[in-house]
Amino acid sequence: MIEGEGFRIKESKFDYFFGRVRSNPKNQARSLQNLRDLNRLGIKESEGGQQRLLELFAVGLSAAEVGRRIRPAFGMTVIRAVEVSSPEARGAIEISYFYPGADLSVIPEVVSIIPKIYRQEA
């Protein structure tokens, strides 16, 4: 487990974020999509991408909330969006922070990301 600035994340999540998951066709496709979108947003693993994501996860803790899911038996996931841009694309990364027991006073765990690329205006 990586302890970030105000969050935690399992190291294995970076395999999913950077296209290395092969568990089943659906997960593999999603992992490869993450890799493509992160690369377009200028977040490349070979160029400090993991550290960049850790920085974005810290920033995301105070970013705009775009969703919330509560599963009473487990806890709450708060989804926040962080704007990201590169010379190639503009977009955002939606970061899901999980709070066990729906307790917002605990340090959340980053459980998933969804990179989004904005459409370019013609």
Side-chain angles (χ1 to χ4, degrees):
M1 187 74 71
I2 296 172
E3 301 289 333
E5 293 182 37
F7 66 90
R8 302 165 2 134
I9 184 169
K10 292 177 183 163
E11 285 188 59
S12 61
K13 291 290 183 181
F14 290 99
D15 290 336
Y16 193 72
F17 302 158
F18 290 110
R20 294 189 296 272
V21 168
R22 306 278 185 260
S23 60
N24 64 53
K26 181 181 174 186
N27 285 344
Q28 182 177 3
R30 185 70 190 115
S31 182
L32 291 170
Q33 184 66 48
N34 281 339
L35 174 65
R36 282 189 297 273
D37 290 346
L38 288 173
N39 283 342
R40 287 190 62 206
L41 291 170
I43 300 171
K44 298 177 181 171
E45 189 171 26
S46 63
E47 298 173 10
Q50 184 172 329
Q51 184 60 39
R52 178 70 176 127
L53 283 178
L54 292 172
E55 292 166 2
L56 292 172
F57 298 157
V59 169
L61 289 165
S62 59
E65 184 176 321
V66 296
R68 189 176 280 218
R69 278 183 248 129
I70 298 173
R71 294 180 61 195
F74 302 101
M76 176 171 46
T77 302
V78 176
I79 303 136
R80 299 180 177 278
V82 177
E83 298 285 319
V84 181
S85 63
S86 74
E88 185 179 341
R90 287 184 49 244
I93 298 176
E94 290 185 357
I95 306 164
S96 295
Y97 299 92
F98 177 71
Y99 293 85
D103 182 353
L104 293 174
S105 70
V106 301
I107 294 175
E109 180 179 342
V110 173
V111 292
S112 69
I113 63 170
I114 300 175
K116 297 194 171 190
I117 307 295
Y118 298 149
R119 293 179 193 224
Q120 292 185 337
E121 297 178 22

